[in-house]
Amino acid sequence: MSRVTSNPADNKILLWNLTAAVIVLGQAWPNTKLASQSSSGLKADCLGNLMRLSMDEALAVGNQLVVEAINGTQCVLLTPTLAAQCGYSMESDPWGNTRIYTSLMGCFVDNKDDATFKIGLKLQMYSQRPSDVVTHEVNQTCSYTRWAPKEILCDRNYMEVSNYLMKANPQTKRPAQDQNVDSYLLEDSGASHGIWKMTFFTPEPVVMVPREAEQAGYSAMTTSNRLIMRSPYNTPETFSEDVAGIPMEVLKVSVYNKAESGLGIVNLAAACPTGGVLFTESVISWYIPRRMTPLMDGTFRIVEMHMGINGQRLDRSQMAARGYTLSTTDFHIVAEIPVGSPDGYYKSHAPEYQYYVTYTVEPMLEVLWRADGTQDDIKYKVLFPITTPLMPRPPHVEDYTVPEDGVFSVMLGGFFHDVELKNITFVTGVLTVEESNARGLIVQEHIYTNGTKGFSLKVSFDADVVLKTNPEPLITTYSLPLTVGLIILPDGTSFAHEVTLQASLQDVVLPALTGTCDQKHFYVRVKYGSQDRNFETAVGMRQLTPDLAKAYKLQENRTHLILRVPYNAQDSNFELVSSVSIQARLDIVLWEPNNQWVLGDLSLACSFPLMTTKCYPNGTITAVAVKLESVPSLVPSQLTLKDRSCRPVFSNDRFAHFSFSADSCGTSRTFFDNYMVYQNEISLYHKVTVKTSPAEPGYRQTIYCYYMVNKTQTVAFSHKPRSDDPRAEIGTGLLMVQMRQAQDAAYQHFYKAEDYPLKKYLRDPLFFEVVLMQSTDPQLELIVENCWATLQEDRTSVPQWDIIVNSCENRDDTHVTVFHPVKDNIAMPSHLKRFSMRMFTFTNNNEVLRDQIYVHCDAVICNTNGPPDGICRGQCVHPTGTKGTKFQGLKGAKREQRSTESTHQWQLSSGPILLSN
């Protein structure tokens, strides 16, 4: 509990400032309008020895007020000094609710025998327009007859004491030296009637004549029955005195008054509290001395004691309803008022931009003391405005946000009615209430029954004023920092309150990665999540830079991006290789750069066609060695074949390419069944030092080439060009056999496809050559097994005529086929067979069936190192002399029809060769 002194003089300064301001304005705006009292919002009440005029805020708001006292036919402007001197006071709250108090003993009150009092006031209210002035005249008559011998009135700006004047009695005189009586008569001094002089005790005596006292701000007057003395607070002739621990301001004066009966001396004293208030958070305790020693000597007792508000006495039920109490202790009268009582008001303040409030109430205390055994009563009334110290009231924030609703909902409350919301500062800038609502940020004011108000705000999580962060990959934290700008009315003091709202939701949709492959590329598709493209991309071990994105054909829009990465790109990994394919993997990682969170990843593994080994009919072998992920330390350029001198013809950091002939680089050859197999090996020479991890395997890649041997190849001669070039299978070889027709026995020039059909005369020689193409293997030999002629291009059509049977000429033919030796200048004589025949035609009963023929042959490739079985004994070795069946016609020999179901036959035809006439 603390003790705070309330100084009524502060209120006097307020009154002076207000009145002084409106006096100046009153001189500038002389035009007035007269309004009747009944409709003016004014109310006059007679409250004992006071008259109270109340004016509500609706009348005063926006106006400047000038108050004049009506004195007969004159109006006297009440300045602050004159008001305190003459018994007028005014109290106004910040919103214009105004109360004007007039003492019934005031200077300009029409007093009839101290019983009937007529008070007149003229109120002039000036609006902001000089020509618009409203005037109200108030006339009120009050009756008051219960005067005590001595009455003291303590108002907010003055203290007043009045004593009953003793009537003259010639036979009863009191000695002048008796100081224990308040008034007594002296012998006639010869002065005119009225107050002669007065002596103030400060406590040192100070003598003044009435004019000097009036100039000093005092008022002294007599009525038919009473002597009145009035003094403002804090004058030189008043002094402070501590009474029962309560600071009091004391006026003591002896007034010399001359009446018809003689000169009398009246001793007057007034004492008004300037403190004595204790505060807690909930209760105001006001202490008044139980025995007012400056006013009384001897023994006095309390006869009556009343409490009131704003000059109005309250009965017990009214006090109980408000929670007021009035009690006494040994030394004090104690009035207790709850903070927040409806008879007072709260006022907001913002020192150092922090919210505080004060509570103001104006209690009244009336006490009647009576001296023991006498009727010498002292009536004491004090109006004592009390304002609490500044009480901090930090605005309270109620966060009603439900994250799942996606809307911030907050209530900022605890303000009193004089606080208005001016603006709100968001991260994007300052918005007024109107601007906020226009943008969908809903701001509302709420008034509560306890007299406070609050302001609510609703903001969607999607609004641009909301900040979004991600403390975790799947969590979004929404933040709404606010600075609420508030203003206190009517003075316009501003202050602010900062609020930060936060809500978290597991609402993040991460980007999704999918992938596919074709025969050459990886295709990676990234569908953006709920935060659009808030990520960086790593392809393999490298970040996707603009240059790399261009190389990988990046395509993107607002919803997704697509990458096309070659399978052999630097950022892919080779996992497994076979003779026909390679398995490659592409790793894609999406990460959030600020927190280094992995938002998604994809390992896309696909098999791609790759011929790691190619076997050509001429005996050339090519091979590709691949650096696999399992041997990261491998340097492809250091790989060799079995012959360490055979190194890659080309290499980079991932591939090594080899090209060599079947009879070089340590290549071995083996035979089994109908296959001839060439084998070599790519490995790392043991003398090459390579740093590897203990778990890293060595590198070894075996190369195989399979060639089919001891197999009948059907080689047909045709003038038509091939629709497709021969293609070697991976890891196997196809020995190509070709038959062509020479122009003469020199076998230097051969007919081309565009030369057909050829025209030949009957029995012209036809020169044929059958050759094993491209092969350089000297251990292979070509054997022409069978040749025959047909009328049709179909090699199985009839009639047929045998030309070569079982590798030998058809001896049944009168024009025997001739084999021609191959000259030594041919590189591989065993790969070549030449023969010739005579042009003929088919006849039936000596009639030519058709003037054209087609020639067909079968050939066999033999291994000279193999066992000499069957046809591979050599060309026409131990001929069997197979004899064809005669067919009717010029040449009617006929062979058995061969099956076309052999898996090793090529069914090609030559011709036509036309018989020329």
Side-chain angles (χ1 to χ4, degrees), residues 463-480:
D464 59 354
V465 300
V466 176
L467 301 177
K468 302 175 183 66
T469 58
N470 297 99
E472 299 177 29
L474 295 177
I475 303 296
T476 301
T477 295
Y478 299 89
S479 299
L480 180 62

Side-chain angles (χ1 to χ4, degrees), residues 531-717:
Q531 297 179 322
D532 299 326
R533 190 175 178 182
N534 69 322
F535 54 83
E536 296 290 342
T537 305
V539 182
M541 300 300 292
R542 293 193 295 171
Q543 184 173 350
L544 186 66
T545 62
D547 290 340
L548 192 58
K550 184 177 180 181
Y552 290 161
K553 309 300 182 184
L554 171 68
Q555 299 179 14
E556 60 181 332
N557 58 25
R558 293 188 301 173
T559 62
H560 66 276
L561 65 82
I562 295 176
L563 292 172
R564 188 182 75 177
V565 181
Y567 81 90
N568 58 353
Q570 175 183 344
D571 298 301
S572 67
N573 293 302
F574 296 145
E575 295 182 319
L576 185 65
V577 65
S578 70
S579 62
V580 295
S581 67
I582 183 170
Q583 181 171 306
R585 188 187 76 250
L586 184 66
D587 296 327
I588 303 291
V589 177
L590 309 180
W591 85 92
E592 194 275 327
N594 294 328
N595 299 290
Q596 299 298 308
W597 291 328
V598 174
L599 304 182
D601 56 37
L602 173 70
S603 289
L604 180 61
C606 299
S607 292
F608 298 92
L610 178 65
M611 292 184 179
T612 56
T613 303
K614 291 183 180 180
C615 306
Y616 295 94
N618 67 351
T620 300
I621 301 173
T622 62
V624 178
V626 181
K627 178 179 179 180
L628 299 179
E629 185 180 25
S630 59
V631 282
S633 300
L634 178 67
V635 179
S637 64
Q638 297 175 346
L639 294 171
T640 67
L641 295 171
K642 286 183 176 179
D643 184 345
R644 302 305 176 189
S645 64
C646 293
R647 307 185 70 84
V649 296
F650 167 78
S651 66
N652 58 22
D653 59 346
R654 310 193 75 188
F655 296 96
H657 295 260
F658 294 87
S659 179
F660 57 98
S661 62
D663 57 352
S664 67
C665 296
T667 305
S668 62
R669 184 184 62 182
T670 59
F671 291 87
F672 65 93
D673 295 336
N674 291 329
Y675 291 93
M676 178 173 56
V677 181
Y678 292 97
Q679 179 179 341
N680 209 319
E681 185 178 83
I682 301 173
S683 62
L684 194 64
Y685 186 45
H686 69 278
K687 291 185 178 180
V688 177
T689 302
V690 179
K691 294 181 178 179
T692 62
S693 64
E696 186 173 314
Y699 188 89
R700 188 179 302 275
Q701 179 177 337
T702 303
I703 304 168
Y704 294 97
C705 274
Y706 293 82
Y707 290 93
M708 295 179 184
V709 295
N710 294 346
K711 146 181 153 175
T712 299
Q713 301 285 343
T714 298
V715 182
F717 181 76

Side-chain angles (χ1 to χ4, degrees), residues 784 804 807-809 817-821 834-836 875-876:
V784 178
I804 296 175
S807 79
C808 294
E809 63 271 22
T817 301
V818 178
F819 286 98
H820 297 276
R834 293 171 178 171
F835 66 92
S836 63
Q875 189 74 50
C876 200

Side-chain angles (χ1 to χ4, degrees), residues 257-274:
N257 181 52
K258 186 177 181 183
E260 293 181 357
S261 56
L263 180 63
I265 301 176
V266 181
N267 294 324
L268 303 175
C272 294
T274 58

Side-chain angles (χ1 to χ4, degrees), residues 237-427:
E237 286 71 42
T238 61
F239 61 93
S240 296
E241 183 176 334
D242 192 347
V243 180
I246 307 301
M248 310 287 288
E249 186 162 354
V250 179
L251 170 68
K252 285 189 175 183
V253 61
S254 295
V255 178
Y256 294 81
N257 181 52
K258 186 177 181 183
E260 293 181 357
S261 56
L263 180 63
I265 301 176
V266 181
N267 294 324
L268 303 175
C272 294
T274 58
V277 181
L278 298 180
F279 300 98
T280 67
E281 292 183 358
S282 57
V283 176
I284 299 171
S285 299
W286 178 29
Y287 290 80
I288 300 294
R290 182 170 183 173
R291 175 179 173 81
M292 198 72 69
T293 54
L295 308 182
M296 59 187 68
D297 293 320
T299 303
F300 282 80
R301 57 187 175 88
I302 297 175
V303 179
E304 295 180 18
M305 185 172 63
H306 303 280
M307 182 180 176
I309 292 292
N310 298 328
Q312 178 78 50
R313 182 185 293 182
L314 301 176
D315 59 30
R316 291 184 178 180
S317 62
Q318 292 172 321
M319 290 177 59
R322 291 165 168 79
Y324 300 158
T325 61
L326 185 63
S327 60
T328 59
T329 66
D330 291 341
F331 300 100
H332 300 100
I333 301 169
V334 183
E336 291 188 331
I337 302 169
V339 175
S341 159
D343 295 314
Y345 62 87
Y346 281 101
K347 179 70 180 74
S348 299
H349 306 270
E352 299 181 353
Y353 300 100
Q354 300 299 310
Y355 186 55
Y356 292 81
V357 297
T358 57
Y359 174 74
T360 298
V361 66
E362 188 172 31
M364 179 192 73
L365 178 65
E366 290 182 306
V367 182
L368 180 63
W369 283 286
R370 179 171 296 167
D372 290 343
T374 68
Q375 293 296 318
D376 291 339
D377 293 345
I378 300 175
K379 185 177 289 187
Y380 186 82
K381 176 187 284 190
V382 55
L383 281 68
F384 194 75
I386 299 172
T387 298
T388 65
L390 290 172
M391 296 180 287
R393 288 290 182 91
H396 57 82
V397 178
E398 296 290 342
D399 188 354
Y400 297 107
T401 302
V402 178
E404 290 71 19
D405 294 341
V407 177
F408 282 112
S409 179
V410 62
M411 176 72 71
L412 182 64
F415 302 107
F416 287 100
H417 63 93
D418 56 345
V419 174
E420 295 291 339
L421 177 59
K422 184 178 181 181
N423 54 47
I424 303 176
T425 301
F426 298 97
V427 293

Side-chain angles (χ1 to χ4, degrees), residues 150-226:
K150 179 185 293 187
E151 294 210 1
I152 294 93
L153 174 62
C154 298
D155 206 342
R156 62 177 50 246
N157 58 333
Y158 66 88
M159 46 186 173
E160 177 185 285
V161 55
S162 68
N163 273 31
Y164 180 74
L165 283 175
M166 184 180 291
K167 298 297 183 179
N169 185 351
Q171 298 180 355
T172 306
K173 292 186 178 181
R174 298 182 183 178
Q177 69 273 16
D178 187 357
Q179 298 295 322
N180 294 324
V181 295
D182 293 328
S183 63
Y184 50 91
L185 298 177
L186 300 177
E187 294 182 356
D188 193 347
S189 63
S192 59
H193 297 306
I195 296 173
W196 171 36
K197 67 176 182 177
M198 55 198 76
T199 301
F200 295 90
F201 298 94
T202 64
E204 299 299 325
V206 176
V207 179
M208 294 185 188
V209 297
R211 180 176 296 276
E212 293 173 334
E214 182 178 352
Q215 292 174 349
Y218 302 101
S219 175
M221 57 181 290
T222 59
T223 65
S224 58
N225 296 303
R226 304 188 73 80

